[in-house]
Amino acid sequence: AQSVTQLGSHVSVSEGALVLLRCNYSSSVPPYLFWYVQYPNQGLQLLLKYTSAATLVKGINGFEAEFKKSETSFHLTKPSAHMSDAAEYFCAVRDSNYQLIWGAGTKLIIKP
Amino acid sequence: DTGVSQDPRHKITKRGQNVTFRCDPISEHNRLYWYRQTLGQGPEFLTYFQNEAQLEKSRLLSDRFSAERPKGSFSTLEIQRTEQGDSAMYLCASSPGESLYGYTFGSGTRLTVV
């Protein structure tokens, strides 16, 4: 069965600092992995996806994620945090029934 | 196309009342999904449609919940005899086929049962 674990329910970084949000997955099939962002009282917006092509995936708003099969990880990074990045971030993996299994989310806090 | 639309954005209802939410997906997307999200949690799958056929329902979807997509376009989610535990954000998403390319979500309907 597929599952997703996001380490850290809250991550706080200073503006301009590196953002690192961690996601580990388990999957019995070759994984398709996704990162979504959710701003307060909004739906979820797709940031980026891994679908078995390049292991380093670039997304919107300067975010990228690297798929590491040996570590079963798909961590999300951004070199320099901006105040507008403050939001909740969700990692998801596609399961064998083509549904998305979601992590519990990580709230990113940006300190001025 | 303006994306996935959900109506209403907010709904406050008294316990025991029935509520109905509407979702209009992206027009060329044949799959439509309903999720529920409570504070501090990721979305929980409720059900999905391929065109007008409801193909899967979560065990979370009790008998009080029903969803329809009568013409394969918009969908409705009805909750009968609402309970306080139904308070949540109800999210609709659509996709062009299976989820390889990710879903497009609407802004959600926030339900508060008082």
Side-chain angles (χ1 to χ4, degrees):
Chain A
Q2 286 73 21
S3 67
V4 174
T5 301
Q6 291 184 241
L7 298 177
S9 59
H10 292 77
V11 168
S12 181
V13 302
S14 297
E15 190 173 18
L18 171 71
V19 175
L20 171 60
L21 304 182
R22 298 178 188 274
C23 173
N24 288 87
Y25 70 92
S26 68
S27 179
S28 56
V29 297
Y32 291 139
L33 295 154
F34 305 84
W35 275 100
Y36 281 81
V37 60
Q38 187 176 34
Y39 298 99
N41 296 312
Q42 296 293 319
L44 294 102
Q45 181 183 8
L46 180 65
L47 271 179
L48 49 81
K49 58 184 181 287
Y50 168 76
T51 56
S52 74
T55 57
L56 182 62
V57 181
K58 294 187 183 299
I60 62 172
N61 301 340
F63 284 93
E64 61 183 36
E66 187 172 8
F67 171 69
K68 292 186 177 181
K69 184 177 179 180
S70 61
E71 298 178 7
T72 60
S73 69
F74 190 55
H75 302 331
L76 182 71
T77 60
K78 182 173 180 177
S80 177
H82 192 272
M83 295 300 291
S84 62
D85 295 326
E88 191 153 19
Y89 293 79
F90 292 92
C91 182
V93 63
R94 189 190 70 169
D95 74 3
S96 52
N97 292 322
Y98 303 104
Q99 304 302 328
L100 291 186
I101 307 299
W102 297 83
T106 297
K107 187 165 287 188
L108 178 62
I109 300 161
I110 310 297
K111 297 179 292 186
Chain B
D1 199 333
T2 55
V4 178
S5 299
Q6 291 189 247
D7 183 69
R9 290 293 307 275
H10 305 274
K11 178 71 176 179
I12 300 174
T13 190
K14 292 183 177 179
R15 189 174 52 183
Q17 297 294 305
N18 299 345
V19 294
T20 300
F21 311 141
R22 178 181 170 119
C23 172
D24 287 89
I26 293 174
S27 57
E28 60 265 29
H29 287 185
N30 61 356
R31 288 202 175 193
L32 185 148
Y33 308 83
W34 285 100
Y35 283 86
R36 181 172 66 188
Q37 186 180 24
T38 52
L39 207 60
Q41 298 295 320
E44 295 175 299
F45 170 76
L46 292 178
T47 187
Y48 91 94
F49 294 83
Q50 179 156 310
N51 300 312
E52 67 276 8
Q54 189 173 19
L55 295 188
E56 188 175 343
K57 292 195 298 184
S58 164
R59 58 182 170 79
L60 293 174
L61 211 67
S62 76
D63 291 345
R64 296 184 298 105
F65 288 70
S66 62
E68 294 182 341
R69 194 182 184 196
K71 297 181 181 178
S73 56
F74 74 92
S75 175
T76 58
L77 177 68
E78 181 183 17
I79 308 174
Q80 296 182 324
R81 305 180 303 281
T82 52
E83 302 172 356
Q84 286 190 321
D86 297 331
S87 296
M89 175 80 90
Y90 290 83
L91 294 166
C92 176
S94 68
S95 70
E98 58 96 350
S99 58
L100 175 63
Y101 302 102
Y103 302 161
T104 302
F105 280 85
S107 296
T109 294
R110 181 165 295 285
L111 173 67
T112 302
V113 181
V114 298

